[in-house]
Amino acid sequence: QVPLVESGGGLVQAGGSLRLSCTASGSIHNINTMGWYRQAPGKPREMVTTITTGDILITNYADSVKGRFTISRDNAKNTVYLQMNSLKPEDTAVYFCNTKYSTIYGTGNYWGQGTQVTVSS
């Protein structure tokens, strides 16, 4: 069973919007946070946004996306969404879903397969 399944990438013009979704497998337990990272060609992977899955909602955004991107969650569906508005060419990257979980042995994380987002100027 694939741990994380992503969808929603594509090609959009600058100023447009896209919505990504990521669903975690029911086999993953004790999820602490879910989030999105991205990697552009020739650049390291960077955090875009994260969200906690507990009763207290805590979100974190990279400065470059604040005010344009919004992360949300549906805990019942083990799904996190990324609404991306006012997209810019520099947002072009492969976007990876990530989930961090904890066990009695420690912490771990899973990565999605990545979904391409391309913003044309």
Side-chain angles (χ1 to χ4, degrees), residues 85-97:
N85 298 328
S86 302
L87 282 161
K88 305 175 181 180
E90 50 263 44
D91 294 318
T92 296
V94 178
Y95 283 69
F96 296 90
C97 180

Side-chain angles (χ1 to χ4, degrees), residues 13-99:
Q13 288 187 330
S17 299
L18 282 174
R19 187 187 192 218
L20 307 182
S21 66
C22 173
T23 299
S25 162
S27 64
I28 304 175
H29 303 289
N30 300 320
I31 295 175
N32 300 319
T33 64
M34 295 185 73
W36 293 93
Y37 291 68
R38 66 187 181 187
Q39 187 166 18
K43 294 186 177 181
R45 189 172 297 188
E46 63 175 0
M47 187 276 294
V48 176
T49 178
T50 62
I51 187 168
T52 55
T53 58
D55 293 336
I56 300 176
L57 176 64
I58 300 174
T59 58
N60 187 31
Y61 292 93
D63 288 341
S64 59
V65 306
K66 284 180 180 177
R68 300 187 299 122
F69 290 11
T70 303
I71 191 170
S72 61
R73 70 187 191 193
D74 184 337
N75 284 349
K77 296 181 179 180
N78 267 2
T79 299
V80 63
Y81 305 96
L82 178 61
Q83 179 65 43
M84 304 185 291
N85 298 328
S86 302
L87 282 161
K88 305 175 181 180
E90 50 263 44
D91 294 318
T92 296
V94 178
Y95 283 69
F96 296 90
C97 180
N98 173 269
T99 180

